[in-house]
Amino acid sequence: MSLLYENHYEEVMTPLPPVDSDVLAEMNVIIYDSVRKDFAIAVSWLDECIRREWGVVKDIDKIKLVRIDGVWWVPLEKMLQVERV
């Protein structure tokens, strides 16, 4: 009988395809509009899993999503999707 800690498991995760440049440009427009016009957006990004949160963007270097119940920092290079709410 082998114990679980004796086995070495590697998390298998397929790499995501790069975001198309047209899609990236559209996401940037939505992000800048959220900063200037103060409206909420939904952002999906890759963390340990794919996360999705919504809020108003307050910082652009690393997207700072702000909502009454929380704040999320989203790295630009890990963004997958941005939508207006």
Side-chain angles (χ1 to χ4, degrees):
M1 181 173 136
S2 74
L3 299 174
L4 182 62
Y5 65 83
E6 291 176 351
N7 297 317
H8 298 284
Y9 295 99
E10 291 183 16
E11 186 175 328
V12 177
M13 193 165 133
T14 59
L16 293 172
V19 178
D20 184 33
S21 61
D22 293 335
V23 174
L24 185 60
E26 184 179 334
M27 288 192 303
N28 287 334
V29 168
I30 294 171
I31 290 166
Y32 283 113
D33 283 348
S34 176
V35 172
R36 286 187 288 135
K37 298 176 183 173
D38 203 37
F39 66 84
I41 63 172
V43 179
S44 298
W45 74 94
L46 182 65
D47 197 4
E48 292 175 2
C49 59
I50 295 177
R51 297 205 45 193
R52 182 175 173 86
E53 296 291 344
W54 65 272
V56 176
V57 178
K58 295 296 183 184
D59 192 2
I60 294 184
D61 293 335
K62 195 176 183 187
I63 296 178
K64 180 180 181 182
L65 276 178
V66 178
R67 203 167 66 199
I68 292 173
D69 61 340
V71 174
W72 296 269
W73 288 95
V74 181
L76 291 172
E77 65 276 0
K78 294 189 176 186
M79 273 192 330
L80 301 174
Q81 184 179 21
V82 176
E83 300 173 329
R84 290 182 169 97
V85 176

